[in-house]
Amino acid sequence: MSSVSIKRVLLVAAENDALHGAKVGGMADVIRDLPPALAQCSVIADVAMPNYGFLAQQYRAAHLADIEVDFAGERHSVTVYRLPRPQHKDAIVTVDQDKFDDSIAQIYLFDHPLFNHQGQVYCNGSVDRPFAEDATKFALFSLCVATSLVREILPRMDVLHLHDWHSAMVAMLRGCVVDFAGLKSLACVFTIHNLALQGIRPFSGDESSFGHWFPQYIDKLDPIAKESLFDPRYSNCINPMRMGIVLSDKVHLVSPTYAQEVLKPSDHHKGFFGGEGLENDLATKDQQGNLVGIINGCVYDEAISAFDAHKASYEDLLLQAENTVIQWQAKATNLSVIDAMALARIGQYKHALLSDSLALKPAQIKDETERFLLTSVGRLTEQKVLILLQPFSDPQGLSSAKTVLDAILLSLKKLQPDGVFLMIGSGDLHIAKMMQATAARYDNFLFLHGYDEALAEQLYQCGSLFLMPSSFEPCGISQMLAMRVGQPCLVHGVGGLYDTVEDNVSGWVFNGETLASQGQALVERFNQVVQLLGSDTWQQVKHNAAKQRFTWDEVAKEYIEKLYVTN
């Protein structure tokens, strides 16, 4: 093992929750929390990301440089801004235009019209041209990052740390194009947050294709390294995710269990999500000793005990939910049927609360912090809800449920008549409409289509049981956020969920060999768990969940030892 001292790392990513408006998924939490943890180990971690048309202006970032690059057959000017990483994302730092203090972590923002999509990080794309706009955007972004490094516009780095397919073409330029050969002196690490999204595009014949983006490099590509550009399943397509895997020195998966799962081929019909076509490349990396699984961390405020923390009442939660939906509607151009239904349901719940308070004597009114609340916070993707939407067949033939979600809601009504399942999530509109249809059939299901950080935090605080039935979960942060305030979780025993939730100790786990059996196991486990409510076992699991610690300080030490120091 080399004893080289690592002093500076460049994190290249699409998301960063250190800044408002730059978060979509868990990657943003990592890019927010990793730099301060590495700073505790005397490593400066800078971040390079697109500006998305507003971040530099929002944070009054300083102009660093204008660079020119050849892209898609034209000369493009890209502006690079910098700002010291804010201690909190609400903090606006005054940046001295004339002084550049590179002894502290910086955020570099790359600005170009192609990066601007009405303030959104990603484009939705079309079914017939998946990833087209995003792939073009991130190809240019990768070229700009690589150019800024070789021209020494950015400080000298020791490690280049790329995150997901969006930044993987930096590894391609470093490994395949002689103009960027100087980057080979930097150790290159590639982190996979979600292997299912790979950014696949044609090699040529489309405006969003490798040949269109980089015509000047077609004849300069290293003939051996060039093979790593192509998807193993589609010979006429490039695969940025594969570029990152093959052309980086080390590959990092965000949990130890997920690092093992990706070595096996996926079998979607059986409900197993593994290597997603790249298992052979990952296995090669593993055989070389260059595949590493390290769980992501979570930020803990030790000053606030999970059991002493103030918990909003059920009434407060409904008010927050109502205000959130109204705020969403204020920004919308058309009335959302899903939002209208959610507001109507919230109104029903509030009316029921008022009726109860009028009908009962004060001593009879139920403590609303004890109302059973099943909660879920997460992106609306097949990954997160596929099991919930599976057809359900009751082995005893007693249930009228058509789906697993139906069965859970019927069980909730039977076991906890006043209980509510409150789900919040943004994403796939088709899935949202299926959730809307379910919410119309069951009055104990409140579905909010969107994301609001304040509401999500109240759900973590107020919930009785957090549900996370992901078909695969590279790491997961929601279960950690629920556990840290003492809300136990019911999870599918895969990936990071397996690594963070111990069955019957700090939460509950279900498993199954097929999609059908996974659905059956989830319903059975839910019924068992809800019947434990109020028992000594329930209280002990809550206590154990709150005690779990997955700290970034420990994760940072593992990064330095296992990822940043090369063999």
Side-chain angles (χ1 to χ4, degrees), residues 245-280:
I245 292 169
V246 176
L247 295 171
S248 295
D249 299 318
K250 292 198 176 182
V251 175
H252 164 228
L253 283 305
V254 290
S255 72
T257 295
Y258 190 56
Q260 294 304 306
E261 290 171 349
V262 299
L263 301 179
K264 304 171 186 176
S266 298
D267 189 339
H268 295 171
H269 294 296
K270 288 189 176 181
F272 177 72
F273 294 76
E276 297 292 278
L278 301 179
E279 56 274 2
N280 291 336

Side-chain angles (χ1 to χ4, degrees), residues 49-329:
M49 60 184 294
N51 184 50
Y52 300 120
F54 69 95
L55 293 171
Q57 294 75 15
Q58 179 175 285
Y59 284 90
R60 302 175 189 168
H63 176 268
L64 178 62
D66 291 309
I67 59 173
E68 290 197 347
V69 294
D70 291 320
F71 184 76
E74 296 180 1
R75 195 75 168 164
H76 292 259
S77 179
V78 178
T79 301
V80 186
Y81 296 95
R82 63 169 177 86
L83 74 149
R85 181 191 176 277
Q87 294 298 309
H88 188 276
K89 59 185 176 183
D90 288 325
I92 305 297
V93 181
T94 301
V95 182
D96 191 327
Q97 298 279 350
D98 300 320
K99 294 183 179 179
F100 183 14
D101 183 3
D102 65 357
S103 67
I104 58 175
Q106 302 285 319
I107 298 176
Y108 298 99
L109 301 168
F110 290 77
D111 191 57
H112 185 275
L114 279 178
F115 304 159
N116 306 346
H117 299 285
Q118 293 76 50
Q120 300 298 309
V121 174
Y122 304 122
C123 303
N124 291 325
S126 59
V127 175
D128 59 328
R129 297 179 73 235
F131 301 111
E133 287 182 89
D134 278 347
T136 297
K137 169 173 67 184
F138 291 117
L140 175 57
F141 169 62
S142 295
L143 176 63
C144 293
V145 172
T147 300
S148 296
L149 287 168
V150 295
R151 294 183 186 171
E152 299 182 350
I153 292 168
L154 304 187
R156 169 70 187 177
M157 303 291 168
D158 299 300
V159 179
L160 194 53
H161 190 163
L162 313 177
H163 291 262
D164 262 354
W165 73 267
H166 320 98
S167 61
M169 276 185 270
V170 177
M172 179 277 298
L173 294 168
R174 170 183 179 266
C176 298
V177 180
V178 67
D179 298 11
F180 299 96
L183 298 182
K184 291 183 179 180
S185 63
L186 308 183
C188 185
V189 175
F190 183 61
T191 289
I192 299 173
H193 296 272
N194 190 339
L195 189 58
L197 301 176
Q198 300 178 4
I200 300 170
R201 293 301 303 153
F203 179 73
S204 60
D206 190 284
E207 283 192 3
S208 180
S209 67
F210 188 93
H212 186 75
W213 303 325
F214 302 123
Q216 71 274 30
Y217 299 139
I218 293 293
D219 296 329
K220 293 184 177 182
L221 293 173
D222 179 283
I224 297 176
K226 180 180 177 180
E227 294 304 312
S228 62
L229 273 60
F230 292 92
D231 187 279
R233 298 153 295 186
Y234 317 110
S235 59
N236 62 333
C237 290
I238 61 161
N239 185 321
M241 181 68 78
R242 187 178 188 222
M243 297 177 197
I245 292 169
V246 176
L247 295 171
S248 295
D249 299 318
K250 292 198 176 182
V251 175
H252 164 228
L253 283 305
V254 290
S255 72
T257 295
Y258 190 56
Q260 294 304 306
E261 290 171 349
V262 299
L263 301 179
K264 304 171 186 176
S266 298
D267 189 339
H268 295 171
H269 294 296
K270 288 189 176 181
F272 177 72
F273 294 76
E276 297 292 278
L278 301 179
E279 56 274 2
N280 291 336
D281 294 307
L282 289 160
T284 298
K285 219 71 178 178
D286 186 47
Q287 291 161 7
Q288 296 168 347
N290 292 323
L291 187 79
V292 181
I294 303 173
I295 194 80
N296 286 337
C298 183
V299 175
Y300 297 89
D301 186 348
E302 300 295 348
I304 301 177
S305 164
F307 298 106
D308 294 336
H310 169 70
K311 290 195 174 184
S313 68
Y314 175 58
E315 187 174 6
D316 291 338
L317 179 62
L318 292 180
L319 181 60
Q320 178 71 48
E322 184 177 53
N323 289 338
T324 297
V325 178
I326 291 172
Q327 289 170 11
W328 291 344
Q329 275 298 299

